[in-house]
Amino acid sequence: MGTVYLTGAGPGDIELLTLKAHRVISQADCIIYDRLAKKEILDMAKDGCEFIYVGKEDNKHTLPQEQINQVLYEQSKKHDIVVRLKGGDPFVFGRGGEEAIFLKEKGVKYEVIPGITSAISVPAYAGIPVTQRGVSASFRVVTGHEAKKDKSQVNWESFKNNETIVFLMGYHRLEYITSKLKEIGKAPNTPIAIISNGTRSNQKVVIGDLTNIVQKAQGLPTPAMIIVGEVVKLRDKIKWFDEE
């Protein structure tokens, strides 16, 4: 039985791939990859590597997570090196923890290779630091898309304090997110940035506030993330990768 490497591919710019991720990708016998894994990264694989696509899009999953877990197990019985390639970091809303638990229960050896999460790298490429002395001393990363449950795990009341909030996978719920932030008392002029295709050559950044961002950000391609907080105002001084 082989080893499964739960591997983060980073946010999109292939130069942000880690050296360790590059090594195992180039050695892999099988790569099981998501929709955010760029072709240039897959091209790093050796001849004869088997590729299995298990990508998930809005309302369209190639395989449910339970079947993806089973694919990892089956491939580990066939190959020495199996790479489970995920956009960003496996443990930041990547369901890598679920896969690790499943593999552990099956007796499969695995390693976790962290990736540079989009939660910090995408704002950086947009010229928005998630923390800044005198502006924001903390930040939190929140899912914008929860699994269907009777009760949300997001504690909206805790967002009243002045810190940076990064919503991942929340673009299609932008109207709901902004309404909840207004509901808990966030000021209407609270700055918000939407960053589409962050760190990629087609990155686009839209700036607004709670009153107008839904209208201003219509029609953006995904993946797109939401940044809320005063640090958004620093983009005008720091932006370096793109122009609005």
Side-chain angles (χ1 to χ4, degrees), residues 111-125:
E111 293 187 23
V112 180
I113 302 180
I116 297 178
T117 174
S118 61
I120 56 172
S121 56
V122 167
Y125 268 55

Side-chain angles (χ1 to χ4, degrees), residues 178 187-193 207-214 216:
T178 55
N189 64 348
T190 299
I192 301 181
I207 303 295
D209 58 34
L210 287 180
T211 68
N212 60 22
I213 193 62
V214 173
K216 293 180 72 173

Side-chain angles (χ1 to χ4, degrees), residues 89-174:
D89 178 88
F91 282 4
V92 182
F93 305 132
R95 305 189 75 166
E98 296 174 45
E99 293 171 355
I101 291 170
F102 177 85
L103 293 170
K104 184 80 169 182
E105 291 173 348
K106 289 290 189 179
V108 178
K109 183 180 177 182
Y110 65 89
E111 293 187 23
V112 180
I113 302 180
I116 297 178
T117 174
S118 61
I120 56 172
S121 56
V122 167
Y125 268 55
I128 301 171
V130 291
T131 63
Q132 177 82 352
R133 186 174 60 168
V135 180
S136 178
S138 61
F139 73 98
R140 65 175 69 190
V141 183
V142 185
T143 179
H145 181 78
E146 290 188 275
K148 291 183 179 179
K149 293 184 178 179
D150 293 336
K151 184 178 180 181
S152 171
Q153 291 182 286
V154 177
N155 182 5
W156 290 95
E157 290 295 320
S158 69
F159 295 168
K160 289 181 177 180
N161 57 341
N162 186 24
E163 67 178 348
T164 305
I165 311 171
V166 180
F167 289 95
L168 302 184
M169 306 175 295
Y171 172 71
H172 293 299
R173 302 188 76 212
L174 179 58

Side-chain angles (χ1 to χ4, degrees), residues 3 26 30 32 34 87 156 160 235:
T3 300
S26 66
C30 177
I32 301 163
D34 286 344
W156 290 95
K160 289 181 177 180
R235 171 171 160 79

Side-chain angles (χ1 to χ4, degrees), residues 26-120:
S26 66
Q27 296 173 343
D29 304 304
C30 177
I31 297 177
I32 301 163
Y33 66 100
D34 286 344
R35 75 180 182 96
L36 297 181
K38 296 190 72 173
K39 182 180 182 299
E40 293 90 336
I41 294 177
L42 299 178
D43 287 343
M44 297 173 182
K46 67 184 181 182
D47 291 341
C49 179
E50 181 179 356
F51 296 97
I52 301 175
Y53 176 68
V54 294
K56 300 173 183 177
E57 301 180 46
D58 297 314
N59 301 316
K60 183 182 178 183
H61 290 188
T62 306
L63 291 176
Q65 185 61 50
E66 292 75 16
Q67 290 186 33
I68 294 174
N69 293 346
Q70 192 64 32
V71 169
L72 293 174
Y73 175 59
E74 295 299 331
Q75 295 304 314
S76 72
K77 294 191 293 184
K78 294 168 52 179
H79 300 293
D80 291 332
I81 298 177
V82 176
V83 171
R84 173 66 170 110
L85 190 63
K86 299 170 174 285
D89 178 88
F91 282 4
V92 182
F93 305 132
R95 305 189 75 166
E98 296 174 45
E99 293 171 355
I101 291 170
F102 177 85
L103 293 170
K104 184 80 169 182
E105 291 173 348
K106 289 290 189 179
V108 178
K109 183 180 177 182
Y110 65 89
E111 293 187 23
V112 180
I113 302 180
I116 297 178
T117 174
S118 61
I120 56 172

